[in-house]
Amino acid sequence: MSEELHPFETFLRREMIPHIWCDGCGNGIILNCYVRALKDLDIDLNKVVTVAGIGCIGRISGFTNTDSFHTTHGRAVAFATGVKLANPELKLVVISGDGDLFAIGGNHFIHAARRNVDIHVICANNFNYGMTGGQYGPTTPLDAWTTTTPYGNVEHPFNLVHLAAASGAAYVARWTTLHARRLTESIKKALQKEGFSFIEVITPCPEIYGRYNKMRTGIDMMNWFRKASEIRNQSDPAKAEITPERIVIGEFLDIEKPSFGRLLRDMTTRVQEKMRKGR
Amino acid sequence: MPVRLWRKPLDADKIKIPRGEIHIIKERCKGCNFCIEFCPREVLEESEEFNEKGFHPPRVKDSNNCALCGFCEAVCPDFAIFTVEKNCEGGC
């Protein structure tokens, strides 16, 4: 290895770098933005837990030098809820894919958002199941080609930001990997927020999704993001569409709301007081 | 020419554009070329040499052009490039 040291070296497990992701994949950019946010906020790494599910991006838990947790398929949010309630001092960051969070773990996600559990979810949306060979999933756009939709997808995709906002999240944003700076700022904002925050990151998957959709390299997919993305901060997430012509990104929701952990602690102290007085 | 280009900022003479020094960790590069494509000043180009994985790492074309925006560092998925400010006290 070269003797030059990257400024983020202490935030990564050096023996695991270089990571396993393909060339042109955007997961590395998400990792980059995440560790930059941790560095900028100067958070104690012993107080951060990175939880990841199954999928390409699931390997992120092995690359960050925080405490980390690689969980069963779809259960990243459920495990994170448990960790947060057991030790409220920790900062819980769930980084997982669209298939893991919304197909297999869909119910965990919506109920964690409804309860407003104090966890921060970053979803890498690459429009398909990349790790298993590019099958179509709940976020594959209409008419897109994948290995299991060789004539085009006939199902309507999820609008993830709308789903999160409707379920009750306190902070909802969507960025692409090309908007690395805005994404970093957004992660920083989400990490300081109390309650459930959700950031969807649209990620290039040139090896599998791009290959079927006439975007063979990471640069082709990033250029599509550059051409199609439109920043609409504070707009209605219901209208935030993803089509080949238009990707609506931005910060959609940022509200204050008491978190589940706080309400639970308040209730516990109230009941304990009542019991003491009663006796 | 658009308005915003022919009006010069009033403090343009006082502002000094920082100069960046680019460090490339060649063995880590996977040749995605994001840094080359998205550099706003076209400082980098693809080199002809191979690294140990068989990819062409980027090469600095003109380091005097680098204005230390740091976007190559932000957009690199492999932590293979970073920029530091060049010490220009003795002239660049």
Side-chain angles (χ1 to χ4, degrees):
Chain A
M1 284 304 274
S2 162
E3 284 178 14
E4 296 164 291
L5 277 185
H6 195 279
F8 296 158
E9 214 72 54
T10 50
F11 293 81
L12 304 167
R13 296 187 194 187
R14 288 192 68 189
E15 66 278 11
M16 301 289 280
I17 301 289
H19 53 61
I20 54 145
W21 296 316
C22 314
D23 61 301
C25 174
N27 289 347
I29 305 177
I30 299 176
L31 175 61
N32 195 332
C33 293
Y34 172 55
V35 295
R36 185 184 292 265
L38 289 180
K39 192 182 182 199
D40 288 358
L41 288 178
D42 204 14
I43 299 178
D44 180 9
L45 289 188
N46 292 323
K47 297 270 180 229
V48 183
V49 184
T50 310
V51 185
I54 301 297
C56 292
I57 188 87
R59 300 298 293 256
I60 207 166
S61 57
F63 300 139
T64 51
N65 204 6
T66 62
D67 287 340
S68 57
F69 210 171
H70 195 180
T71 67
T72 46
H73 202 1
R75 275 46 171 164
V77 172
F79 278 86
T81 308
V83 177
K84 182 72 195 179
L85 294 184
N87 190 351
E89 275 181 19
L90 299 177
K91 217 168 243 309
L92 263 293
V93 186
V94 175
I95 307 182
S96 201
D98 52 321
D100 186 76
L101 281 173
F102 291 95
I104 298 94
N107 262 306
H108 291 299
F109 179 85
I110 56 174
H111 288 287
R114 175 181 63 80
R115 291 186 191 121
N116 203 21
V117 187
D118 204 355
I119 58 178
H120 317 288
V121 180
I122 300 170
C123 170
N125 180 1
N126 61 357
F127 307 117
N128 71 126
Y129 291 106
M131 189 177 247
T132 50
Q135 293 83 1
Y136 80 101
T139 49
T140 309
L142 202 63
D143 295 328
W145 293 284
T146 63
T147 36
T148 44
T149 56
Y151 303 104
N153 185 18
V154 290
E155 294 181 13
H156 289 282
F158 257 144
N159 181 347
L160 302 185
V161 285
H162 186 35
L163 179 74
S167 305
Y171 180 85
V172 177
R174 177 197 276 158
W175 301 106
T176 75
T177 46
L178 182 65
H179 301 81
R181 289 218 191 283
R182 289 172 197 266
L183 173 61
T184 312
E185 290 306 311
S186 195
I187 295 175
K188 271 156 71 177
K189 212 165 162 184
L191 284 177
Q192 287 165 310
K193 196 136 181 81
E194 186 194 321
F196 191 89
S197 49
F198 173 69
I199 302 171
E200 176 189 357
V201 189
I202 297 175
T203 313
C205 179
E207 285 296 325
I208 299 171
Y209 183 80
R211 188 186 297 264
Y212 283 94
N213 290 281
K214 296 176 186 161
M215 290 175 280
R216 289 194 77 100
T217 61
I219 289 186
D220 289 344
M221 291 207 78
M222 292 282 259
N223 277 330
W224 168 44
F225 300 158
R226 172 151 70 174
K227 210 169 65 211
S229 57
E230 222 179 278
I231 299 174
R232 291 272 175 273
N233 285 326
Q234 310 303 331
S235 69
D236 184 4
K239 291 175 188 150
E241 54 180 1
I242 300 178
T243 59
E245 294 78 37
R246 192 160 175 259
I247 301 173
V248 180
I249 56 172
E251 204 182 276
F252 298 101
L253 194 71
D254 186 2
I255 52 170
E256 297 298 328
K257 210 167 146 182
S259 72
F260 177 65
R262 177 195 291 266
L263 291 174
L264 186 70
R265 275 195 301 280
D266 288 355
M267 178 63 86
T268 320
T269 33
R270 259 205 324 271
V271 172
Q272 276 170 347
E273 214 130 281
K274 210 174 161 186
M275 298 286 278
R276 213 178 301 131
K277 275 179 194 165
R279 278 171 196 169
Chain B
M1 196 185 267
V3 178
R4 63 188 173 84
L5 284 185
W6 52 255
R7 274 200 190 149
K8 210 173 154 193
L10 293 172
D11 55 352
D13 311 324
K14 289 177 207 152
I15 301 280
K16 207 163 167 278
I17 300 170
R19 291 271 162 254
E21 204 179 289
I22 302 166
H23 294 265
I24 299 165
I25 307 171
K26 286 178 190 163
E27 292 83 16
R28 280 194 185 169
C29 179
K30 284 188 193 152
C32 68
N33 287 4
F34 286 166
C35 53
I36 300 169
E37 175 82 9
F38 298 113
C39 175
R41 291 198 159 199
E42 298 180 0
V43 175
L44 299 157
E45 65 180 354
E46 195 174 356
S47 65
E48 273 137 38
E49 63 173 314
F50 290 99
N51 65 7
E52 58 187 29
K53 290 199 210 90
F55 294 109
H56 299 289
R59 165 173 72 196
V60 180
K61 193 161 58 177
D62 183 6
S63 67
N64 287 334
N65 252 342
C66 177
L68 200 68
C69 73
F71 196 67
C72 51
E73 187 183 320
V75 88
C76 178
D78 291 280
F79 301 94
I81 189 167
F82 62 97
T83 48
V84 289
E85 190 167 358
K86 205 191 248 178
N87 188 4
C88 276
E89 274 169 18
C92 287

